[in-house]
Amino acid sequence: MTTPHVAFRSSDSLHQRTDAFIQRMNSGAKRPEPKEIEAIMAQFIEEALAAFITRAAQAADLSPGMFKVVNMTCSTISKTTHLVIGRSAKKMDLAQNQAAADYMDQVRHPATDGDHWYVAFPVSEAHCAQCREVIRLCQQGEEDKARRELAAYLLTLTDEAIDWYFQRPMALLGFGPVLRKVANVGVETTRKASRSLISNLIPKLGPEQLLASAQYQESMLLSFPPRTR
């Protein structure tokens, strides 16, 4: 039995660094590792932004002006999340480091051939069907409806990604009121920037760009069996 996920391929360096951290935390680590958590999460954010935003924009063959908006959005999210990570990692105790390791293990999945790993979160069959519906609409020339469906799909995807990559680990780590407030500002900045990008760019996509965008999103839909650990 497999479950659909939205996934991006982890770089070897991110996987190896994350795996080593997980192993240490699961093998009786004696002290927290704030610098390692900061390094892992910073790399994760960069790879997630590349997968969800930069490569999606490249697949749609955006104009230089539109790509500038994409880069500005990535920069805004990156700066905000780096600030949150930098402040929070230093204050996490050993138990929180171990909780972070458990979370990292939850969102990684091996490829079928075992050659590489993905970072992924589960989505509903209905959400997958919505993505594929955009492709069908594009192929039938229903561009206006395709744009609306693609925007709706991406807005839901944004909320799901923020939930899995920001809000769930925040809840798991049990931040105090000060760090929770800092993290919430980061979450809302990320949400606002992502939603603004979607509302600004989707209406400007031509027919071929719409189809390419939907096909890229579909390429991120993979199925994985339940994790045994």
Side-chain angles (χ1 to χ4, degrees):
M1 184 73 176
T2 60
T3 302
H5 287 67
V6 172
F8 67 89
R9 180 171 172 168
S10 170
S11 68
D12 289 342
S13 62
L14 177 59
H15 170 65
Q16 290 164 7
R17 193 163 203 168
T18 302
D19 189 64
F21 176 74
I22 292 170
Q23 297 303 324
R24 289 194 299 275
M25 288 299 119
N26 289 339
S27 302
K30 301 299 183 184
R31 59 182 64 85
E33 299 183 17
K35 290 184 178 179
E36 194 64 9
I37 283 188
E38 188 170 358
I40 289 170
M41 293 307 298
Q43 187 174 355
F44 162 74
I45 291 297
E46 295 309 311
E47 293 192 16
L49 288 174
F52 284 99
I53 300 181
T54 306
R55 290 201 291 274
Q58 291 169 339
D61 193 24
L62 298 185
S63 68
M66 294 168 77
F67 215 96
K68 185 177 180 180
V69 176
V70 169
N71 287 333
M72 289 174 60
T73 301
C74 288
S75 179
T76 297
I77 295 173
S78 180
K79 289 177 181 177
T80 302
T81 53
H82 277 68
L83 176 63
V84 173
I85 293 165
R87 291 189 62 176
S88 59
K90 296 178 179 65
K91 298 180 181 296
M92 291 167 58
D93 59 24
L94 180 57
Q96 287 172 314
N97 273 238
Q98 292 166 336
D102 286 341
Y103 163 76
M104 292 174 190
D105 197 37
Q106 287 176 32
V107 296
R108 64 177 187 159
H109 294 264
T112 304
D113 59 9
D115 182 57
H116 55 272
W117 286 70
Y118 290 96
V119 178
F121 60 85
V123 291
S124 68
E125 294 285 359
H127 198 209
C128 296
Q130 186 178 31
C131 180
R132 298 185 179 108
E133 174 68 2
V134 176
I135 295 175
R136 186 190 69 80
L137 291 169
C138 289
Q139 292 171 337
Q140 294 186 350
E142 299 185 55
E143 296 166 23
D144 289 342
K145 190 171 182 181
R147 284 192 188 89
R148 291 194 296 271
E149 286 296 313
L150 180 58
Y153 173 83
L154 292 175
L155 289 171
T156 301
L157 179 64
T158 295
D159 288 340
E160 291 284 348
I162 286 174
D163 177 46
W164 275 94
Y165 294 152
F166 290 90
Q167 293 174 317
R168 286 177 186 248
M170 279 167 45
L172 186 69
L173 297 175
F175 286 160
V178 175
L179 279 182
R180 192 160 56 245
K181 184 176 181 179
V182 171
N184 284 337
V185 170
V187 166
E188 291 313 310
T189 298
T190 299
R191 192 190 309 276
K192 184 177 179 180
S194 300
R195 286 178 167 269
S196 176
L197 182 66
I198 293 166
S199 63
N200 282 325
L201 293 190
I202 298 302
K204 299 174 183 176
L205 296 180
E208 292 181 359
Q209 292 173 313
L210 269 174
L211 179 58
S213 296
Q215 289 172 332
Y216 177 79
Q217 295 301 327
E218 186 186 35
S219 74
M220 296 184 72
L221 296 175
L222 300 174
S223 291
F224 297 106
R227 295 296 304 276
T228 55
R229 185 192 176 284

